[in-house]
Coordinates of all heavy atoms in Angstrom, one line a residue:
G1011 N 3.9 1.4 -35.1 CA 4.6 2.5 -34.5 C 4.7 2.4 -33.0 O 5.1 3.4 -32.4
V1012 N 4.2 1.3 -32.4 CA 4.3 1.2 -30.9 C 5.2 0.0 -30.6 O 5.1 -1.1 -31.1 CB 2.9 0.9 -30.4 CG1 2.9 0.6 -28.9 CG2 1.9 2.0 -30.7
E1013 N 6.1 0.3 -29.7 CA 7.1 -0.7 -29.2 C 7.0 -0.7 -27.6 O 7.0 0.4 -27.0 CB 8.5 -0.3 -29.6 CG 9.5 -1.3 -29.1 CD 11.0 -1.0 -29.5 OE1 11.2 0.1 -30.2 OE2 11.9 -1.7 -29.2
I1014 N 6.9 -1.8 -27.1 CA 6.9 -2.0 -25.6 C 8.0 -2.9 -25.2 O 8.2 -4.0 -25.8 CB 5.5 -2.4 -25.1 CG1 5.5 -2.5 -23.6 CG2 5.2 -3.8 -25.7 CD1 4.1 -2.6 -23.0
V1015 N 8.8 -2.5 -24.2 CA 10.0 -3.2 -23.8 C 10.0 -3.4 -22.3 O 10.0 -2.4 -21.6 CB 11.3 -2.5 -24.2 CG1 12.5 -3.3 -23.8 CG2 11.3 -2.2 -25.7
Q1016 N 9.9 -4.7 -21.9 CA 10.0 -5.0 -20.5 C 11.5 -5.2 -20.1 O 12.1 -6.0 -20.6 CB 9.2 -6.2 -20.1 CG 7.8 -6.1 -20.2 CD 7.0 -7.3 -19.7 OE1 7.5 -8.4 -19.8 NE2 5.8 -7.1 -19.2
M1017 N 12.0 -4.4 -19.1 CA 13.4 -4.5 -18.7 C 13.5 -4.7 -17.3 O 14.6 -4.9 -16.8 CB 14.1 -3.2 -19.1 CG 14.1 -3.0 -20.7 SD 15.1 -1.6 -21.2 CE 16.7 -2.3 -21.1
G1018 N 12.4 -4.8 -16.5 CA 12.4 -5.0 -15.1 C 12.7 -6.5 -14.7 O 12.7 -7.4 -15.6
R1019 N 12.7 -6.7 -13.4 CA 12.9 -8.0 -12.9 C 11.8 -8.3 -11.9 O 11.9 -9.2 -11.0 CB 14.2 -8.1 -12.1 CG 15.5 -8.0 -13.0 CD 15.6 -9.2 -13.9 NE 16.8 -9.0 -14.8 CZ 16.8 -8.6 -16.0 NH1 15.6 -8.1 -16.5 NH2 17.8 -8.5 -16.7
G1020 N 10.7 -7.6 -12.0 CA 9.6 -7.9 -11.1 C 9.7 -6.9 -9.9 O 10.5 -6.0 -9.8
F1021 N 8.8 -7.2 -8.8 CA 8.8 -6.4 -7.6 C 10.2 -6.5 -6.9 O 10.7 -7.6 -6.7 CB 7.7 -6.8 -6.7 CG 7.5 -5.8 -5.6 CD1 6.8 -4.7 -5.8 CD2 8.0 -6.1 -4.3 CE1 6.6 -3.7 -4.8 CE2 7.8 -5.1 -3.3 CZ 7.1 -4.0 -3.6
P1022 N 10.8 -5.4 -6.7 CA 12.2 -5.4 -6.1 C 12.2 -5.9 -4.6 O 11.3 -5.5 -3.9 CB 12.7 -4.0 -6.3 CG 11.5 -3.2 -6.3 CD 10.4 -4.0 -6.9
P1023 N 13.2 -6.6 -4.3 CA 13.4 -7.0 -2.9 C 13.9 -5.8 -2.1 O 14.3 -4.7 -2.6 CB 14.4 -8.1 -2.9 CG 15.3 -7.8 -4.1 CD 14.3 -7.1 -5.1
K1024 N 14.1 -6.0 -0.8 CA 14.7 -5.0 0.1 C 16.1 -4.7 -0.3 O 16.8 -5.6 -0.9 CB 14.6 -5.4 1.5 CG 13.1 -5.4 2.0 CD 13.1 -5.8 3.5 CE 11.6 -5.8 3.9 NZ 11.4 -6.0 5.3
Q1025 N 16.6 -3.5 0.0 CA 17.9 -3.1 -0.4 C 19.0 -4.0 0.1 O 20.1 -4.1 -0.5 CB 18.2 -1.7 0.0 CG 17.4 -0.7 -0.9 CD 17.7 0.8 -0.5 OE1 18.8 1.1 0.0 NE2 16.7 1.6 -0.7
D1026 N 18.8 -4.6 1.3 CA 19.8 -5.5 1.8 C 19.8 -6.9 1.3 O 20.7 -7.8 1.6 CB 19.7 -5.5 3.4 CG 18.4 -6.1 3.9 OD1 17.5 -6.4 3.1 OD2 18.2 -6.1 5.1
S1027 N 19.0 -7.2 0.3 CA 18.9 -8.5 -0.3 C 20.0 -8.7 -1.3 O 20.4 -7.7 -2.0 CB 17.5 -8.7 -1.0 OG 17.5 -9.8 -1.8
D1028 N 20.4 -9.9 -1.5 CA 21.4 -10.2 -2.5 C 20.9 -9.9 -3.9 O 21.7 -9.6 -4.8 CB 21.9 -11.7 -2.4 CG 22.6 -12.0 -1.2 OD1 23.2 -11.1 -0.5 OD2 22.7 -13.2 -0.8
R1029 N 19.6 -10.0 -4.1 CA 19.0 -9.8 -5.4 C 18.8 -8.4 -5.8 O 18.4 -8.0 -6.9 CB 17.7 -10.6 -5.5 CG 17.9 -12.1 -5.4 CD 16.6 -12.9 -5.6 NE 15.4 -12.2 -5.9 CZ 14.4 -11.9 -5.1 NH1 14.4 -12.3 -3.8 NH2 13.3 -11.3 -5.5
F1030 N 18.9 -7.5 -4.8 CA 18.6 -6.0 -5.1 C 19.5 -5.5 -6.2 O 19.0 -4.7 -7.0 CB 18.8 -5.2 -3.8 CG 18.4 -3.8 -4.0 CD1 17.1 -3.4 -4.0 CD2 19.4 -2.8 -4.2 CE1 16.8 -2.0 -4.2 CE2 19.1 -1.5 -4.4 CZ 17.8 -1.1 -4.4
T1031 N 20.8 -5.9 -6.2 CA 21.7 -5.3 -7.2 C 21.2 -5.7 -8.6 O 21.3 -4.9 -9.5 CB 23.1 -5.9 -7.0 OG1 23.6 -5.5 -5.7 CG2 24.1 -5.4 -8.0
E1032 N 20.7 -6.9 -8.8 CA 20.2 -7.3 -10.1 C 19.0 -6.4 -10.6 O 19.0 -6.0 -11.7 CB 19.8 -8.8 -10.0 CG 19.1 -9.3 -11.3 CD 18.4 -10.6 -11.1 OE1 18.7 -11.3 -10.1 OE2 17.6 -11.0 -12.0
H1033 N 18.2 -6.1 -9.6 CA 17.0 -5.2 -9.9 C 17.5 -3.8 -10.3 O 17.0 -3.2 -11.2 CB 16.0 -5.2 -8.8 CG 15.2 -6.5 -8.7 ND1 13.9 -6.6 -9.1 CD2 15.6 -7.7 -8.2 CE1 13.5 -7.8 -8.9 NE2 14.4 -8.5 -8.3
R1034 N 18.5 -3.3 -9.5 CA 19.0 -2.0 -9.8 C 19.7 -1.9 -11.1 O 19.5 -1.0 -11.9 CB 19.9 -1.5 -8.6 CG 20.3 -0.1 -8.8 CD 21.1 0.5 -7.7 NE 22.4 -0.2 -7.6 CZ 22.9 -0.8 -6.5 NH1 22.2 -0.9 -5.4 NH2 24.0 -1.4 -6.5
Q1035 N 20.5 -2.9 -11.5 CA 21.1 -3.0 -12.8 C 20.1 -3.0 -13.9 O 20.3 -2.3 -14.9 CB 22.1 -4.2 -12.8 CG 23.3 -4.0 -11.9 CD 24.1 -5.3 -11.8 OE1 23.7 -6.4 -12.1 NE2 25.4 -5.1 -11.4
A1036 N 19.1 -3.7 -13.7 CA 18.0 -3.8 -14.8 C 17.4 -2.4 -15.0 O 17.1 -2.0 -16.1 CB 17.0 -4.9 -14.4
A1037 N 17.1 -1.8 -13.8 CA 16.4 -0.4 -13.9 C 17.4 0.6 -14.5 O 17.0 1.4 -15.3 CB 16.0 0.0 -12.5
E1038 N 18.7 0.5 -14.2 CA 19.7 1.4 -14.8 C 19.7 1.2 -16.3 O 19.8 2.1 -17.1 CB 21.0 1.2 -14.1 CG 21.1 1.8 -12.7 CD 21.2 3.3 -12.7 OE1 21.6 3.9 -13.7 OE2 20.7 3.9 -11.7
A1039 N 19.7 -0.1 -16.7 CA 19.8 -0.4 -18.1 C 18.5 0.1 -18.8 O 18.6 0.7 -20.0 CB 19.9 -1.9 -18.4
A1040 N 17.4 0.1 -18.2 CA 16.1 0.6 -18.7 C 16.2 2.1 -18.9 O 15.8 2.7 -19.9 CB 14.9 0.3 -17.9
L1041 N 16.8 2.8 -17.9 CA 17.0 4.3 -18.0 C 18.0 4.6 -19.1 O 17.7 5.6 -19.9 CB 17.5 4.8 -16.7 CG 17.5 6.3 -16.5 CD1 16.1 6.9 -16.8 CD2 18.0 6.7 -15.1
E1042 N 19.0 3.9 -19.3 CA 20.0 4.1 -20.4 C 19.3 3.9 -21.7 O 19.5 4.7 -22.7 CB 21.2 3.2 -20.3 CG 22.1 3.6 -19.1 CD 23.2 2.5 -18.9 OE1 23.4 1.7 -19.7 OE2 23.8 2.6 -17.8
F1043 N 18.4 2.9 -21.8 CA 17.7 2.6 -23.0 C 16.7 3.8 -23.4 O 16.7 4.3 -24.5 CB 16.9 1.3 -22.9 CG 16.1 0.9 -24.1 CD1 16.7 0.3 -25.1 CD2 14.7 1.1 -24.1 CE1 16.0 -0.1 -26.2 CE2 14.0 0.7 -25.2 CZ 14.7 0.1 -26.3
A1044 N 16.1 4.3 -22.3 CA 15.2 5.5 -22.5 C 16.0 6.7 -22.9 O 15.5 7.5 -23.8 CB 14.4 5.7 -21.2
E1045 N 17.1 6.9 -22.3 CA 18.0 8.1 -22.7 C 18.4 8.0 -24.1 O 18.3 9.0 -24.9 CB 19.2 8.1 -21.8 CG 18.9 8.5 -20.3 CD 20.1 8.3 -19.4 OE1 20.9 7.5 -19.7 OE2 20.1 9.0 -18.4
S1046 N 18.8 6.8 -24.6 CA 19.2 6.7 -26.0 C 18.0 6.9 -26.9 O 18.2 7.4 -28.0 CB 19.9 5.3 -26.2 OG 19.0 4.3 -26.1
A1047 N 16.8 6.5 -26.5 CA 15.6 6.7 -27.4 C 15.4 8.2 -27.5 O 15.0 8.6 -28.6 CB 14.4 6.0 -26.8
L1048 N 15.6 8.9 -26.4 CA 15.3 10.4 -26.5 C 16.3 11.0 -27.5 O 16.0 11.9 -28.3 CB 15.5 11.0 -25.1 CG 14.3 10.9 -24.2 CD1 14.6 11.6 -22.9 CD2 13.0 11.6 -24.8
V1049 N 17.6 10.6 -27.4 CA 18.6 11.2 -28.2 C 18.4 10.8 -29.7 O 18.6 11.7 -30.6 CB 20.0 10.8 -27.7 CG1 21.1 11.2 -28.7 CG2 20.3 11.3 -26.3

Side-chain angles (χ1 to χ4, degrees):
V1012 176
E1013 180 182 3
I1014 185 168
V1015 181
Q1016 288 187 333
M1017 299 188 74
R1019 296 292 180 264
F1021 192 78
K1024 294 183 178 182
Q1025 290 182 25
D1026 59 359
S1027 168
D1028 293 339
R1029 294 183 8 252
F1030 183 78
T1031 299
E1032 175 190 345
H1033 285 258
R1034 188 174 63 237
Q1035 289 170 341
E1038 286 289 332
L1041 190 56
E1042 288 171 15
F1043 183 78
E1045 288 169 336
S1046 69
L1048 279 178
V1049 171

